[in-house]
Amino acid sequence: MSTQQMSQHAAGDPLECYSIPIVLHKEPDTDQRGNPIFGADGKQRYRCGFKIGGGIDQDNTKSPQGYPDKGIYVTFVYENGPAHQSGLQVHDKILQVNGHDFTLVTHKKAVDYIQRKPLLNMLVYRKGMPNLQKMGQPQPQFQSYSPQNQYSQQPQAQYQRGY
């Protein structure tokens, strides 16, 4: 599947693409004095260090970033936070978290699932990654890519949420 085809993926359609594994270890959320913060359920809260936008319940045509589908996208990464340290980047499309499919999820369900665990094993799609080569074709030993900023960097509050 080409990059152009992937960026126009419809929710629920089979997906063949180059996915990037990301292991994100969250940081315990603390107050200004360094004391742990607990949620209403009594469990300690953790910080991921990124914001997301999208979902099957969102209108992607109103996204200021110009995302082509209703997927869950990373809209902001806090510098030196857990997401930044794990290699997550703005505009990454989250395909899976801890084995949970994120291609057919509402924004709220994505938020709830991301907040649930202190460790996130993620698969993401990153625009600009090289296409996979078919078996039997010569493959270079190393491939590199230059991410092309094809989305706007301007976040919009009602389309994204931070953690």
Side-chain angles (χ1 to χ4, degrees), residues 42-160:
K43 294 183 180 179
Q44 184 170 1
R45 289 186 12 196
Y46 292 88
R47 281 193 302 248
C48 300
F50 68 98
K51 295 180 181 182
I52 63 169
I56 60 172
D57 58 334
Q58 304 291 310
D59 184 355
N60 62 292
T61 63
K62 294 182 180 179
S63 161
Q65 292 88 0
Y67 295 132
D69 58 41
K70 294 178 176 274
I72 300 294
Y73 288 89
V74 176
T75 58
F76 186 84
V77 175
Y78 291 94
E79 191 172 337
N80 297 321
H84 181 257
Q85 293 171 358
S86 73
L88 199 64
Q89 295 181 13
V90 171
H91 307 306
D92 282 350
K93 181 177 183 178
I94 302 174
L95 304 173
Q96 192 178 89
V97 177
N98 294 344
H100 184 75
D101 181 11
F102 264 48
T103 62
L104 281 172
V105 68
T106 65
H107 186 87
K108 182 174 180 356
K109 288 206 184 273
V111 168
D112 291 345
Y113 199 84
I114 288 169
Q115 290 179 335
R116 193 178 299 166
K117 302 283 184 182
L119 174 69
L120 302 177
N121 288 297
M122 306 168 71
L123 288 179
V124 301
Y125 165 77
R126 184 168 295 152
K127 190 172 180 92
M129 289 299 297
N131 290 332
L132 294 176
Q133 294 187 347
K134 301 292 182 196
M135 294 296 290
Q137 294 179 349
Q139 297 183 11
Q141 185 175 1
F142 300 101
Q143 286 185 324
S144 63
Y145 76 100
S146 298
Q148 297 173 352
N149 186 4
Q150 299 194 12
Y151 302 115
S152 165
Q153 291 286 352
Q154 299 300 318
Q156 187 172 357
Q158 67 264 26
Y159 191 75
Q160 65 185 13

